[in-house]
Amino acid sequence: MDELIQNVRNVHAKNYLNEAIAAYRTGAYRASLIATWIAVCVDIIEKLRELSLSEDPAAKKWEQQLDKIQPNDPRAMLDFERNLLNIACDELQLISTIEKSHLERLKDDRNICAHPTFSDDGSQFSPPAELALAYIVQSANYLLVHPPVKGKVIVKRLYELINESSFPEGEEKAFTLLSSENNLGRVKDSGVRNLAILILKRIFRDETGVSQELLNRLSASLSAIQRLYPEIYEEVISNKLAGMLSEANDTRLKRIFPFLNLRNELWSKVEYAERVRIEGIIHAMGSEEISKYQVTRLVEINADIRKQVFEKIDRLNDVEKAKAIAASPSVFFKDRSIHLFSESLSFNSAEFRGNQLLLPISSTFNDKDLESIFNGAIDNTGSHGINQVLNAGAIGAFFSGLYTETKAAPLNHRALWENFWERVSEKGFSYNALREKLIEDQYIAPNEDEEDDDEIPF
């Protein structure tokens, strides 16, 4: 009980609970019940005033009624006291319905303790020690140690906070911030629900554009709500997401792609009608929009969209195809990327496709992939019969990077690179960065006519 009393927030309620504990310890259990009930009443009134300061409309309404009670009007005081638990539960949501029922019993027993019973034998109600102790613990745990929950005002403040650039984009930091008792720690269920709805509206209904940074913050906020209030989160997603998507025009519906990259688990909540629209949007997009809305990133995590993306990519010309894949290189595009590299029609396209399509996924290559890349590079004829890969000015850096990234993967790494080096050397190409690595790993030997530079003799 000593530890319990230290956690009581309000100093006035703490004083009354101290009296209740002192009475309990001396065996004055009736006095203990009376003091415990007063502590409950004082705590509710103080929380009501605290919420009123934060512009909670329900709290302001009841504070105004409380302020109208005159000191010489005990009947009005009693009426307000009788309604306190209803206000705390139904209006302010400081306690749950079950907690209210327990505290109602405390109120009833307090009334019996405070007033004569007029029994025939003259005996009075004497609560057992266990009952007095239970009421002390229940009052503290249900009410006295907790800050007041917050409603409409806190929702507005948190929504504005989420839109600030200082709000974290990572899920863990967002959860730490929002789980604070000053934020979502003890907010009304209706407040949590409204905040989740506001976030979804910002994404799919607001005509104002949504930057990637803001989308990260909005998604991290939804993740925090999901962890703190999973039932409310599930209810909002199930009841609201489908409607918002169906009402969104194509411009707003395109936001589903970067949103799913953050929260792909919500794809199951997208109804079939909207999936048909999304399919149509993918097929109507150009390569620039595919890149802008991160559509190709979804091939990694969403099998349904992957199929549509493949169909769209295959209908693009090679230049558009390379741009779209380069936005989010993926092992799912491996064969297409190797083919694009092999069919490069210019020095610039060869360098771009090698560095942007192949290198990012090169750690996944196997022997067959490497062999296809080497054959494609050597057999390339460009648009005028001139090899656009091997002749590209910076292609040596690509081959050097590819060598490093594939060392751990292919089983025949040495044989493949030795053969490639022999073939390009026969064609008169020598890429210094690659050559140095091959010599360092003893895949090839230095040229016999190479000698270390002598020191200048003067």
Side-chain angles (χ1 to χ4, degrees):
M1 285 193 292
D2 291 333
E3 293 178 3
L4 200 64
I5 195 70
Q6 296 303 318
N7 293 324
V8 175
R9 295 177 71 254
N10 183 266
V11 62
H12 304 301
K14 180 181 288 188
N15 290 336
Y16 280 110
L17 195 66
N18 258 325
E19 289 184 16
I21 293 173
Y24 165 79
R25 285 172 170 163
T26 60
Y29 304 129
R30 279 192 292 266
S32 178
L33 261 68
I34 293 170
T36 301
W37 171 249
I38 297 174
V40 168
C41 293
V42 168
D43 190 75
I44 293 173
I45 291 172
E46 292 299 319
K47 283 186 169 71
L48 186 153
R49 294 190 184 280
E50 186 176 341
L51 286 171
S52 178
L53 288 173
S54 64
E55 301 299 323
D56 186 293
K60 288 183 76 69
K61 178 186 75 172
W62 287 108
E63 185 185 39
Q64 290 171 0
Q65 292 198 23
L66 180 63
D67 291 341
K68 291 178 182 177
I69 300 174
Q70 301 297 319
N72 57 355
D73 189 359
R75 182 175 294 277
M77 295 179 187
L78 286 172
D79 289 341
F80 194 86
E81 178 188 348
R82 291 190 188 100
N83 201 31
L84 265 179
L85 290 179
N86 290 328
I87 295 172
C89 178
D90 303 330
E91 299 284 338
L92 304 180
Q93 294 187 356
L94 298 174
I95 53 176
S96 68
T97 303
I98 294 176
E99 292 167 346
K100 174 190 169 185
S101 67
H102 290 175
L103 296 178
E104 288 279 11
R105 288 197 286 271
L106 166 62
K107 182 177 73 171
D108 293 340
D109 286 344
R110 172 263 180 193
N111 291 339
I112 297 173
C113 291
H115 303 287
T117 59
F118 298 104
S119 60
D120 292 337
D121 60 1
S123 62
Q124 301 296 315
F125 173 66
S126 179
E130 294 82 4
L131 186 62
L133 176 60
Y135 284 142
I136 290 171
V137 174
Q138 287 174 355
S139 300
N141 287 336
Y142 292 167
L143 188 65
L144 305 184
V145 302
H146 298 297
V149 294
K150 304 170 181 69
K152 189 174 182 180
V153 174
I154 192 65
V155 170
K156 179 181 178 183
R157 180 178 69 79
L158 288 179
Y159 179 70
E160 291 174 350
L161 174 63
I162 292 168
N163 280 272
E164 294 286 349
S165 58
S166 60
F167 190 87
E169 297 181 30
E171 291 188 357
E172 284 303 321
K173 289 185 177 180
F175 174 78
T176 300
L177 192 158
L178 290 178
S179 61
S180 164
E181 289 195 342
N182 292 322
N183 294 320
L184 283 181
R186 278 182 68 84
V187 174
K188 298 177 184 179
D189 287 354
S190 59
V192 177
R193 187 176 297 106
N194 289 338
L195 180 60
I197 292 172
L198 279 175
I199 292 171
L200 291 178
K201 283 183 176 179
R202 178 64 183 89
I203 299 172
F204 297 111
R205 283 190 178 172
D206 200 318
E207 294 293 344
T208 309
V210 181
S211 67
Q212 183 62 54
E213 294 75 18
L214 175 57
L215 189 62
N216 291 341
R217 296 196 293 270
L218 295 171
S219 173
S221 303
L222 287 175
S223 175
I225 292 173
Q226 182 182 23
R227 291 171 65 178
L228 291 167
Y229 303 93
E231 293 181 359
I232 297 175
Y233 173 83
E234 180 65 24
E235 173 199 336
V236 170
I237 293 297
S238 299
N239 295 336
K240 299 296 182 181
L241 180 62
M244 290 187 187
L245 294 179
S246 66
E247 295 169 7
N249 58 30
D250 282 1
T251 300
R252 297 198 302 272
L253 187 57
K254 288 173 184 176
R255 298 172 188 171
I256 192 68
F257 300 117
F259 183 66
L260 287 174
N261 275 309
L262 297 169
R263 311 202 63 74
N264 185 57
E265 73 278 4
L266 297 184
W267 177 248
S268 62
K269 305 296 183 182
V270 179
E271 295 183 351
Y272 181 72
E274 270 43 74
R275 294 191 182 196
V276 172
R277 283 189 65 197
I278 290 169
E279 176 183 338
I281 286 176
I282 292 174
H283 290 297
M285 282 180 161
S287 60
E288 291 185 1
E289 278 196 311
I290 290 175
S291 301
K292 176 182 176 181
Y293 288 99
Q294 307 168 13
V295 180
T296 50
R297 282 183 59 188
L298 285 169
V299 301
E300 296 274 358
I301 56 177
N302 192 305
D304 295 327
I305 290 181
R306 181 188 308 146
K307 179 176 180 291
Q308 305 304 325
V309 173
F310 283 169
E311 292 179 3
K312 174 62 180 180
I313 291 292
D314 289 340
R315 288 203 297 269
L316 298 174
N317 62 47
D318 282 0
V319 174
E320 293 175 328
K321 197 178 296 184
K323 288 181 179 178
I325 295 176
S328 301
S330 167
V331 66
F332 288 96
F333 293 121
K334 181 174 65 175
D335 292 340
R336 291 171 174 84
S337 297
I338 293 174
H339 175 77
L340 287 169
F341 175 73
S342 302
E343 297 298 318
S344 298
L345 297 179
S346 69
F347 302 147
N348 287 339
S349 65
E351 293 171 7
F352 175 83
R353 295 173 186 183
N355 291 318
Q356 302 301 320
L357 305 187
L358 297 183
L359 273 187
I361 60 170
S362 55
S363 61
T364 68
F365 290 164
N366 55 34
D367 292 352
K368 181 181 177 182
D369 298 327
L370 266 185
E371 192 170 359
S372 297
I373 293 171
F374 293 155
N375 288 336
I378 292 171
D379 296 338
N380 177 275
T381 57
S383 56
H384 301 289
I386 299 173
N387 191 306
Q388 300 296 300
V389 177
L390 299 183
N391 283 291
I395 202 66
F398 160 72
F399 285 128
S400 175
L402 183 66
Y403 173 84
T404 300
E405 292 296 322
T406 57
K407 283 181 71 173
L411 296 176
N412 298 312
H413 186 263
R414 180 181 186 120
L416 287 167
W417 281 98
E418 285 178 347
N419 179 261
F420 174 68
W421 183 256
E422 182 180 346
R423 293 170 69 188
V424 295
S425 297
E426 289 175 355
K427 292 180 175 292
F429 296 98
S430 179
Y431 306 113
N432 291 334
L434 173 62
R435 180 172 170 278
E436 290 175 2
K437 291 183 178 181
L438 292 171
I439 292 174
E440 181 181 352
D441 291 338
Q442 298 182 349
Y443 281 22
I444 63 173
N447 292 338
E448 294 181 359
D449 56 351
E450 284 186 349
E451 296 180 1
D452 293 335
D453 292 338
D454 294 332
E455 293 185 4
I456 298 174
F458 50 85

